[in-house]
């Protein structure tokens, strides 16, 4: 009887080990599914920190770069957004912005008469506060779930067998990292067909209407100071020449960070070939532990408009 028990235990243990090994292999072999589920899981985040950076270049010359940050603590009705944008092509230099949500108020940057930043202006918040990262109300949840399900199936269709191109580059105790690189012949045809349609519309609308000091409408064309100018230099049939994506997800299913580079190639009206490159990185951190400093503790001036007399009054906390 004892031998039978030992044999049964060994059999069960063997099945468990093989099943666990197979599941572990599935987890590390399916980078696409890991990426998709980790990003979709962020829908319900109520507390986290997000940072991101983007850079666009044309034929190796930087056109614009931007960084973004969000500290979110929605259970305590607090959040902090900050951005920095640098646009070398138009000579505007560096632009930064800070905004906050704290309790029943929104706060955004105030500039004095000399154009210098001087604290924040407070406005009363309208509507209910956000309760999750995407601002989805509970009454809209069913509809939103259907939309995300459609997007998921559409992504699955476009990606198709390319999911097998995701390579697990690291499988640590608490996270896994993946990488995928695709060249032009591997890009799904539907992607380039969509690009062609979008750029054809963009080129058909390559001018815009503005108004001069006398109120007269003027038809203008984009020039080298405009980002749109370089988009138009790719012509009407650009293609994705190659892309690279590297990302890491925790074993808890949370997306941690990712970096992507996408190169587009196109031909201008004179037959010259051009390349536009987008470099993007995104990271999630401090999930469940993000703390946003109350505006009252920032040590900056806070003002509020007096709509009765149009004055700007300083707020005392």
């Amino acid at each position: 009887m004892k031998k039978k028990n030992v044999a049964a235990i060994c059999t069960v243990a063997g099945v468990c080990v093989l099943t666990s090994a197979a599941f572990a292999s599935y987890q590390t072999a399916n980078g696409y599914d890991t990426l998709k589920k980790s990003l979709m899981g962020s829908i319900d985040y109520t507390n986290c920190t997000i940072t991101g950076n983007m850079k666009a270049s044309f034929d190796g010359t930087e056109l614009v770069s931007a960084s973004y940050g969000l500290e979110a603590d929605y259970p305590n009705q607090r959040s902090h957004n900050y951005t920095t944008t640098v646009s070398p092509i138009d000579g505007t230099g560096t632009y930064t912005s800070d905004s906050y949500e704290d309790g029943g108020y929104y706060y955004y940057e105030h500039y004095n008469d000399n154009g210098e930043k001087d604290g924040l202006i407070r406005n009363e918040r309208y509507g209910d506060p956000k309760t999750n990262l995407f601002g989805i109300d509970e009454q809209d949840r069913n509809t939103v779930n259907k939309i995300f399900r459609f997007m998921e199936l559409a992504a699955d269709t476009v990606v198709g067998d390319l999911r097998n191109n995701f390579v697990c580059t690291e499988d640590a105790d608490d996270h896994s990292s993946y990488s995928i690189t695709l060249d032009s012949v591997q890009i799904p045809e539907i992607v380039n067909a969509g690009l062609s349609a979008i750029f054809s519309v963009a080129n058909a609308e390559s001018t815009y209407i503005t108004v001069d000091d006398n109120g007269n409408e003027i038809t203008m064309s984009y020039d080298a100071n405009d980002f749109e100018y370089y988009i138009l230099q790719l012509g009407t049939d650009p293609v994705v020449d190659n892309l690279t994506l590297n990302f890491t997800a925790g074993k808890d299913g949370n997306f941690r960070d990712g970096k992507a580079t996408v190169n587009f190639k196109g031909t201008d009206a004179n037959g010259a070939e051009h390349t536009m490159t987008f470099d993007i990185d995104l990271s999630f951190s401090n999930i469940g532990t993000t703390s946003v400093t109350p505006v009252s503790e920032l040590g900056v001036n806070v003002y509020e408009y007096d709509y009765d007399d149009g004055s700007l009054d300083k707020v005392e906390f």
Side-chain angles (χ1 to χ4, degrees), residues 103-124:
Y105 296 94
Y106 288 122
Y107 298 81
Y108 58 93
E109 289 179 316
H110 169 61
Y111 291 81
N112 60 26
D113 293 337
N114 296 322
E116 302 166 333
K117 291 183 180 180
D118 178 26
L120 302 167
I121 290 181
R122 183 174 82 174
N123 279 340
E124 191 171 345

Side-chain angles (χ1 to χ4, degrees), residues 10 24 27 37 42 59 77 117 140 158 177 187 197 215 221 270:
C10 289
Q27 288 286 77
K37 291 175 181 177
S42 66
D59 290 345
Q77 296 185 26
K117 291 183 180 180
D140 298 327
V158 172
S177 298
I187 303 299
S221 298
N270 298 317

Side-chain angles (χ1 to χ4, degrees), residues 128-205:
D128 297 327
K130 289 179 68 173
T131 58
N132 53 59
L133 192 58
F134 285 70
I136 301 171
D137 295 327
E138 198 56 42
Q139 61 266 29
D140 298 327
R141 173 67 65 167
N142 188 48
T143 300
V144 171
N145 285 344
K146 291 179 180 179
I147 294 173
F148 274 97
R149 178 57 177 163
F150 168 76
M151 293 172 61
E152 178 185 5
L153 293 175
D156 290 348
T157 301
V158 172
V159 172
D161 292 337
L162 290 178
R163 69 184 63 204
N164 298 323
N165 289 61
F166 282 83
V167 177
C168 181
T169 57
E170 182 181 11
D171 186 25
D173 291 338
D174 67 336
H175 70 272
S176 296
S177 298
Y178 301 86
S179 178
I180 181 172
T181 299
L182 302 175
D183 58 29
S184 57
V185 298
Q186 295 173 297
I187 303 299
E189 186 177 353
I190 189 174
V191 173
N192 289 327
L195 281 175
S196 180
I198 293 170
F199 275 75
S200 292
V201 172
N203 275 267
E205 300 177 354

